[in-house]
Amino acid sequence: MPGMSRTPREVLRDHEHRYAPENDRPLGGYLAVLSSFGSGVLGAALAARRAGRRAPQDLSNRELVLLTLATHKLARMVAKDAVASPLRAPFTRYEGTSAPAEVAEEVRGTGLRHAVGELLTCPFCLAPWAASALLILRAASPPTARTCYSALAAVAGSDFLQFAYAAAQERHSPGD
């Protein structure tokens, strides 16, 4: 009705419908997820500043490579590893395996539940969260962060070697 103000929820539903009239896109859930990310990073930055910690000024090339590999592995572990499925279970439904040591899951629910499910099943979406967490760890405790980076990078490297070994075995299997 003209002259009546709409609630934020009504405005958001209108935006959702106009944004994707034929699809269910949980913009409110996405907004909540983005807000929690921003709040978490800001809170960590303020806590670090209060504790006298400073963000890393410059990462060495070596540390950047380790951070990159660690970010990849941490995001992939959270999004795809079977052992991390309890974290995803409230937001997903198990569908089977998708790759060696990885599960396929369907996002379920609506609104915030669906948005969190999309985040938790997408390693690309999780990468900024993983990198931020690892960098916050570095600001809090550089030696601990380097240990974490190194361990996760070693596991990522091992994964690639496992795939290379399996491919080599397949090419050179008896009976070919």
Side-chain angles (χ1 to χ4, degrees):
M1 293 176 93
M4 291 189 66
S5 63
R6 297 186 308 161
T7 67
R9 178 169 277 178
E10 291 169 329
V11 171
L12 188 59
R13 284 194 178 130
D14 184 49
H15 283 302
E16 285 175 339
H17 176 72
R18 290 173 191 254
Y19 174 71
E22 303 299 321
N23 296 292
D24 182 25
R25 302 308 307 149
L27 296 183
Y30 295 154
L31 186 59
V33 168
L34 286 170
S35 297
S36 68
F37 178 78
S39 298
V41 170
L42 180 61
L46 292 173
R49 184 177 193 149
R50 189 169 210 181
R53 301 282 186 185
R54 304 185 102 227
Q57 297 302 307
D58 290 313
L59 296 175
S60 68
N61 289 337
R62 177 185 179 278
E63 195 166 14
L64 183 58
V65 168
L66 287 176
L67 174 63
T68 301
L69 292 168
T71 297
H72 164 79
K73 187 57 193 173
L74 182 56
R76 193 125 202 116
M77 284 171 54
V78 172
K80 299 292 181 184
D81 276 11
V83 296
S85 59
L87 302 174
R88 299 183 305 271
F91 311 98
T92 62
R93 181 172 291 107
Y94 176 79
E95 291 197 326
T97 57
S98 61
E102 292 189 348
V103 296
E105 295 165 324
E106 179 183 338
V107 175
R108 61 188 172 104
T110 60
L112 181 59
R113 175 184 252 180
H114 188 90
V116 172
E118 284 189 29
L119 173 67
L120 290 176
T121 58
C122 173
F124 297 97
C125 305
L126 280 171
W129 295 68
S132 296
L134 292 168
L135 285 170
I136 289 167
L137 177 60
R138 186 184 186 280
S141 176
T144 303
R146 281 190 282 280
T147 300
C148 255
Y149 293 1
S150 297
L152 288 166
V155 174
S158 174
D159 288 351
F160 287 109
L161 290 173
Q162 297 291 353
F163 284 118
Y165 183 82
Q169 276 187 314
E170 220 173 88
R171 278 193 300 269
H172 301 293
S173 64
D176 286 344

